[in-house]
Amino acid sequence: MAVQKRKPNKQQQKAAEASVEANKPVELNPKTTRYEFGGPVGAVGMVVILPILVLFFATCCDETGYPSQAFRDDWKATILSKLTKDFLISLYDPSAFVIYFAFVGILALFYIVLPGDHIPGTVLRDGTKFKYRMNGFASFHTLLFGALFFLKDTGPKPLEYVYNHYVGLAFASIICSYIVSIYVYLASFKPGKLLALGGNTGNPIYDFMIGRELNPRIDSFDIKFFTELRPGLIGWMVINYCLAAKQYIDLGYLTNTMVLVQFFQTWYVVDSLWNEEAVLTTMDITTDGFGFMLAFGLYTWVPFTYTLQARYLVDFPRSISWMEFGAIIACNCIGYYIFRSANSQKNEFRAYPNSPASKKLKYLQTKVGSRLITSGWWGMSRHINYLGDWLMALSWSLPCGFATPIPYFYPIYFGILLLHRERRDDHKCRTKYGEDWEKYCKIVKYRIIPGIY
């Protein structure tokens, strides 16, 4: 008598399918199927247009106006004059190239030799966990005091060089951005590389722009981590201080608006360098690949667009009343308090979940194991830190007055960037957390500005 086999029921079939799915090998570097920033067309725009924009600010803003009088009189002729062979050749300033690349080289040397705590980063998809040397603040003050030592006999006069060779330095930084980007893109094709989930589309220009490799390294030298704070933030401060020196040489004193800009931006940079460990949990380090977008942003964009306010105040020095002075300080302090308090709360909750402060916070436990804070700063909005960051950015431009919108380029651009970043993060979290993210959004209703947006 033949034995009749029983067919598995639907529940058993689903369990078997789930078991097979779970045992399938997970591809380490899956193909990226979703474009950001407008895809390949947007990538071409970023790689070509953003450097041109930096050169526009460098060459079309001067002591005649922002933009220059020549640009306002005949903008077409001015732009056409910038497209000539002679103009392109004039961008190359040999001494500026030497100084800029020496500056980056010195920072790289400091990163290697100066002492600092070795802090572990997040666990990567392949199970590795890199350690990062925290010596950004040491690099900054070593460079600063080294410069003061050499300037003790000469005074601030040599610092005029940055103002006088601003265009050449900006062009040198752009070339450096391209060199670094090309190197990390080509190196990403070596076997064994861990690629960014968003940078493996197979489209060369897009992957070059967005960043193909997650953590490009030369032995233990982490190129992305080095670039994240040092050439951008420290370069920003070096240029700022040189511009302040130029105003002092021209006027014999610093205007109160220049003092405000220098104080606010130094505070921001020193705070970032002092709390360098916090960068290890940002999307730049944990998620995004390192390509032209980050390289250009940190070698060129930060030091040569974030200094527009100080440069404007050299060309158009102005002083303000003490009432205006106090109002601008209040705007910056409120922004800083929101930004630093919110980030510190989040970092402590992640690093020390059992601390007394962390235990007071409410949270939503997700199915993937993460805990989403639903009280404190993070109960007000999902990105309350962005609000604080933008208020600080606004306070940096307010000392320049309202004669031209160009000194406000940074808060305008930064606001757009934060809105886009919030949408990117929302998409990532919806994909990761699923219905838990929907529950979280019902509890924390606002994206950035409590009660408004």
Side-chain angles (χ1 to χ4, degrees):
M1 185 176 178
V3 178
Q4 189 176 9
K5 293 183 179 178
R6 293 177 61 190
K7 291 183 179 181
N9 59 37
K10 289 183 179 180
Q11 189 173 1
Q12 289 172 322
Q13 283 181 327
K14 287 182 180 180
E17 289 170 3
S19 177
V20 171
E21 193 66 30
N23 290 322
K24 279 185 180 178
V26 177
E27 188 178 358
L28 187 61
N29 294 316
K31 196 80 169 177
T32 303
T33 57
R34 181 176 177 269
Y35 285 123
E36 295 183 273
F37 301 102
V41 175
V44 171
M46 293 183 72
V47 171
V48 176
I49 294 175
L50 291 185
I52 292 174
L53 183 59
V54 170
L55 291 175
F56 167 79
F57 287 135
T59 62
C60 294
C61 295
D62 55 32
E63 63 276 4
T64 66
Y66 279 55
S68 65
Q69 187 65 49
F71 183 87
R72 296 198 304 273
D73 290 343
D74 191 344
W75 65 270
K76 289 182 180 179
T78 302
I79 291 175
L80 288 174
S81 71
K82 309 297 183 187
L83 301 178
T84 63
K85 181 181 177 182
D86 290 340
F87 174 76
L88 295 176
I89 292 173
S90 72
L91 292 175
Y92 175 66
D93 182 338
S95 66
F97 263 72
V98 171
I99 287 176
Y100 181 80
F101 279 89
F103 165 73
V104 175
I106 288 169
L107 291 180
L109 179 64
F110 286 170
Y111 176 62
I112 294 169
V113 302
L114 291 181
D117 294 335
H118 287 76
I119 304 298
T122 58
V123 179
L124 304 178
R125 297 194 312 277
D126 60 358
T128 58
K129 181 188 283 190
F130 292 127
K131 287 189 175 182
Y132 300 89
R133 182 177 293 180
M134 300 292 142
N135 60 9
F137 183 74
S139 298
F140 175 61
H141 71 66
T142 300
L143 184 72
L144 183 63
F145 287 113
L148 290 174
F149 175 80
F150 286 106
L151 292 170
K152 62 182 174 59
D153 297 323
T154 64
K157 188 69 177 175
L159 301 181
E160 274 189 313
Y161 179 92
V162 168
Y163 179 85
N164 296 332
H165 294 259
Y166 191 86
V167 175
L169 291 167
F171 186 62
S173 75
I174 291 170
I175 298 302
C176 179
S177 301
Y178 281 117
I179 291 172
V180 172
S181 304
I182 291 169
Y183 170 78
V184 296
Y185 176 73
L186 295 177
S188 71
F189 289 94
K190 292 181 180 179
K193 296 291 187 178
L194 181 64
L195 306 183
L197 292 176
N200 189 27
T201 66
N203 183 285
I205 187 65
Y206 180 83
D207 292 347
F208 170 79
M209 182 279 294
I210 201 74
R212 194 166 183 272
E213 187 177 353
L214 184 61
N215 295 100
R217 287 188 156 215
I218 302 174
D219 293 329
S220 61
F221 187 95
D222 193 292
I223 299 173
K224 181 163 71 169
F225 180 71
F226 164 77
T227 302
E228 187 68 29
L229 295 180
R230 289 161 176 77
L233 296 191
I234 297 177
W236 172 14
M237 285 300 96
V238 168
I239 294 174
N240 253 15
Y241 297 157
C242 291
L243 293 172
K246 171 65 176 171
Q247 189 190 72
Y248 181 82
I249 292 167
D250 289 347
L251 302 180
Y253 65 94
L254 294 179
T255 61
N256 59 1
T257 52
M258 179 66 86
V259 170
L260 274 180
V261 168
Q262 296 292 335
F263 175 71
F264 289 158
Q265 297 185 353
T266 297
W267 184 4
Y268 182 88
V269 169
V270 168
D271 180 74
S272 298
L273 294 171
W274 183 260
N275 295 286
E276 188 176 15
E277 182 180 344
V279 80
L280 297 180
T281 60
T282 62
M283 284 182 68
D284 283 0
I285 297 294
T286 63
T287 307
D288 294 338
F290 183 71
F292 180 82
M293 183 173 68
L294 279 179
F296 175 80
L298 296 163
Y299 285 99
T300 300
W301 190 260
V302 168
F304 290 96
T305 63
Y306 290 21
T307 52
L308 271 173
Q309 296 90 359
R311 185 166 166 244
Y312 177 82
L313 291 172
V314 171
D315 290 326
F316 299 94
R318 63 187 299 268
S319 296
I320 56 177
S321 69
W322 289 112
M323 185 174 292
E324 291 175 282
F325 192 89
I328 295 172
I329 286 179
C331 177
N332 185 270
C333 289
I334 292 169
Y336 177 81
Y337 177 70
I338 295 171
F339 175 78
R340 180 51 58 202
S341 298
N343 281 338
S344 296
Q345 187 178 74
K346 179 182 67 175
N347 291 334
E348 181 170 353
F349 184 78
R350 287 178 174 176
Y352 308 104
N354 294 318
S355 70
S358 296
K359 286 183 176 180
K360 293 178 182 178
L361 295 174
K362 297 178 182 178
Y363 60 87
L364 174 69
Q365 181 69 55
T366 67
K367 295 181 179 67
V368 299
S370 302
R371 298 188 296 178
L372 304 175
I373 306 173
T374 58
S375 66
W377 284 110
W378 301 94
M380 297 181 188
S381 76
R382 303 196 286 273
H383 289 282
I384 189 70
N385 55 331
Y386 288 2
L387 175 61
D389 215 355
W390 189 82
L391 286 173
M392 284 190 286
L394 178 64
S395 72
W396 301 347
S397 297
L398 289 172
C400 298
F402 301 99
T404 171
I406 285 183
Y408 289 84
F409 173 78
Y410 173 65
I412 293 169
Y413 139 79
F414 191 49
I416 296 170
L417 177 70
L418 291 177
L419 290 173
H420 178 264
R421 187 182 292 174
E422 187 276 327
R423 293 290 176 168
R424 284 184 73 201
D425 188 63
D426 184 76
H427 177 270
K428 184 191 76 169
C429 291
R430 285 183 189 281
T431 303
K432 180 178 180 180
Y433 299 120
E435 61 182 33
D436 284 332
W437 186 251
E438 301 293 340
K439 293 178 185 176
Y440 170 72
C441 291
K442 288 178 181 178
I443 299 171
V444 184
K445 297 179 181 179
Y446 298 101
R447 295 174 181 268
I448 298 175
I449 307 174
I452 299 175
Y453 174 77

